[in-house]
Amino acid sequence: IHTVGVVALFGYNSVLIVLCTFYAFRTRKTPLNFNEAKFIGFCMYTTCVIWIAFVPVYYGIGGGFEAVALAFSAVISATTILIF
């Protein structure tokens, strides 16, 4: 994987995650009829924490295990979103 492709992929995903987290934070005090905002917010906060922890692991791990770190982070994010 080329460095430019990885940066473009992470940059695009980071922008989407930050925007979704921002809007989830803004809608957290909606009326009880729209209670889904709390669950969306929790999923986005958890996703931010997972991917913030992923970046140093991805660049700090050696020996060709970058793909394993990427897959592990993606699986944890998907599991979190599916559970909540």
Side-chain angles (χ1 to χ4, degrees):
I1 299 176
H2 297 288
T3 306
V4 176
V6 171
V7 170
L9 176 69
F10 290 151
Y12 179 70
N13 286 335
S14 298
V15 168
L16 288 178
I17 289 171
V18 167
L19 285 174
C20 289
T21 304
F22 173 73
Y23 285 117
F25 182 76
R26 287 194 57 185
T27 60
R28 72 189 187 281
K29 294 184 180 179
T30 56
L32 293 177
N33 295 338
F34 303 104
N35 200 18
E36 296 87 11
K38 293 177 185 177
F39 297 116
I40 293 170
F42 180 76
C43 286
M44 292 313 303
Y45 305 145
T46 307
T47 302
C48 285
V49 169
I50 290 169
W51 286 103
I52 287 171
F54 162 75
V55 171
V57 170
Y58 182 81
Y59 289 109
I61 198 167
F65 291 108
E66 290 90 0
V68 174
L70 180 62
F72 188 69
S73 294
V75 167
I76 290 175
S77 289
T79 304
T80 302
I81 291 170
L82 287 174
I83 288 175
F84 294 101

